[in-house]
Amino acid sequence: MPNEKDSPIFIATWDFGELAVRTAWAHWQEHGDFAAACIEATAAVELDPSIPTVGIGGLPNRDGIVELDAAIMRGSDLRCGSIAAIRTTCPAIRVAKAVMDNTKSVMLAGQGADDFAMQQGFERIDREAMLTDKTRSEYECWRAKVEAGQADREKMVGHDTVCMLGWHQGETVACVATSGLGFKRAGRVGDSPIIGAGLYADDQSGCAASTGIGEELYRHAVSVRISDAMHAGASAAEATDAVLRRMIERDQANITRGLSILAIDRHGGVGAATTRTANHKFELHVCRAGVFERIVPTPITS
Ligand code: GLY
């Protein structure tokens, strides 16, 4: 096993972050490529049908169709690739990687993203197969309530994005993937695939990502703000704390919204900040040199 100095650091969000960091570490041990490890870790979460906020088995939009968002950014050269509202390919993170590697574009969306995935040889997944029995039944229940006037059509649910950050000897990578808010308007895209909002990586500062109500995180371009704070000398912990506090100062309502941000600074320091308090607390999974740790950050409450 490599020693701590030579080993990468992997961090990932939510309870499924444990699957992500364990997959990343296993991949790194076998192949020694920390960026590929981050991609495959993100893909592993996307391919787990029991996770209702990411990939296959993610909650559908208000038309009953699953739409996936994903992105990757590499801090060494600022190359990035992003996919929004893709409907027939999973894992979307591999398509985002293909955008980064094989096009001059940064982002592809909607039908163009689906067509690109087919051109690149990805397997086509039928729309129905993107749903599970559980998500199909939740959707039908939601729609029945909306039609009966018992539920607000505009109220979206769930937003637990897999954010996967990797650091190795000063090099950084950020990956994110989500099915977005459940029962969202068709074509709605949150923060996740937006470079600078849902993720950012620059080896001169570090890497950062966000999870929560996408519209708020997007509005505040949180990941590039964290990156800028780290570039100015803040640690990952200081930068994430300062950016979330600034969001709250700007709009007090943010204290009650589910917002969580995370980063690794260029020295390998890890930080996270959250407003999530009671039920379903935000958690972060960290892997350093094959040692796994679960962190539940103390929420900012005022
Ligand atoms: N943060 C994920 C989303 O809002 O879609």
Side-chain angles (χ1 to χ4, degrees):
M1 184 185 291
N3 65 34
E4 185 160 359
K5 193 170 147 291
D6 294 332
S7 283
I9 299 166
F10 298 113
I11 69 172
T13 47
W14 300 109
D15 50 355
F16 47 69
E18 182 173 5
L19 166 67
V21 295
R22 286 187 183 277
T23 303
W25 178 248
H27 193 283
W28 155 259
Q29 283 193 301
E30 197 175 340
H31 302 283
D33 179 338
F34 90 108
C38 288
I39 292 165
E40 290 315 309
T42 307
V45 179
E46 286 200 85
L47 289 170
D48 184 334
S50 71
I51 298 169
T53 53
V54 180
I56 287 187
L59 281 170
N61 66 18
R62 59 172 70 169
D63 299 332
I65 299 168
V66 178
E67 291 184 328
L68 304 180
D69 303 329
I72 176 169
M73 185 163 188
R74 189 166 66 199
S76 58
D77 55 5
L78 307 185
R79 292 280 304 169
C80 39
S82 167
I83 282 291
I86 195 167
R87 293 180 167 188
T88 54
T89 309
C90 185
I93 189 65
R94 292 196 189 132
V95 187
K97 167 80 161 44
V99 173
M100 178 173 83
D101 289 345
N102 303 337
T103 79
K104 291 191 190 315
S105 304
V106 163
M107 182 183 219
L108 296 178
Q111 187 62 50
D114 277 303
D115 292 346
F116 171 75
M118 294 304 101
Q119 288 155 14
Q120 292 287 307
F122 287 94
E123 183 192 351
R124 186 178 194 285
I125 301 175
D126 185 74
R127 279 184 197 171
E128 272 297 307
M130 296 284 269
L131 293 163
T132 59
D133 290 347
K134 187 165 182 293
T135 53
R136 193 176 294 108
S137 133
E138 278 188 48
Y139 171 70
E140 280 162 10
C141 182
W142 171 83
R143 203 172 67 172
K145 280 191 183 160
V146 167
E147 282 169 2
Q150 293 162 351
D152 177 2
R153 186 178 165 83
E154 297 301 323
K155 191 170 184 314
M156 298 175 280
V157 300
H159 49 61
D160 296 1
T161 300
V162 58
C163 302
M164 177 81 223
L165 300 181
W167 177 99
H168 184 227
Q169 297 179 336
E171 288 194 30
T172 58
V173 166
C175 294
V176 297
T178 183
S179 49
L181 297 181
F183 316 134
K184 61 192 175 184
R185 187 181 290 275
R188 175 266 182 195
V189 175
D191 58 315
S192 302
I194 308 300
I195 306 299
L199 74 167
Y200 202 75
D202 178 352
D203 291 355
Q204 293 187 358
S205 50
C207 50
S210 60
T211 169
I213 309 289
E215 282 68 10
E216 298 310 319
L217 297 158
Y218 194 163
R219 213 184 303 284
H220 289 263
V222 287
S223 291
V224 78
R225 280 191 175 172
I226 298 166
S227 175
D228 281 352
M230 295 192 297
H231 193 258
S235 67
E238 291 164 343
T240 48
D241 185 75
V243 168
L244 196 53
R245 286 187 191 280
R246 184 171 166 192
M247 282 184 75
I248 295 162
E249 274 167 30
R250 187 69 181 81
D251 182 354
Q252 276 294 316
N254 279 329
I255 205 83
T256 60
R257 294 178 177 133
L259 304 171
S260 304
I261 55 181
L262 56 147
I264 308 178
D265 60 50
R266 62 184 178 277
H267 308 295
V270 169
T274 186
T275 56
R276 282 211 75 99
T277 50
N279 59 46
H280 196 43
K281 284 188 175 164
F282 175 64
E283 63 185 79
L284 191 69
H285 289 265
V286 179
C287 170
R288 288 179 192 268
V291 177
F292 298 92
E293 188 186 3
R294 174 177 176 267
I295 296 173
V296 181
T298 304
I300 297 174
T301 54
S302 61

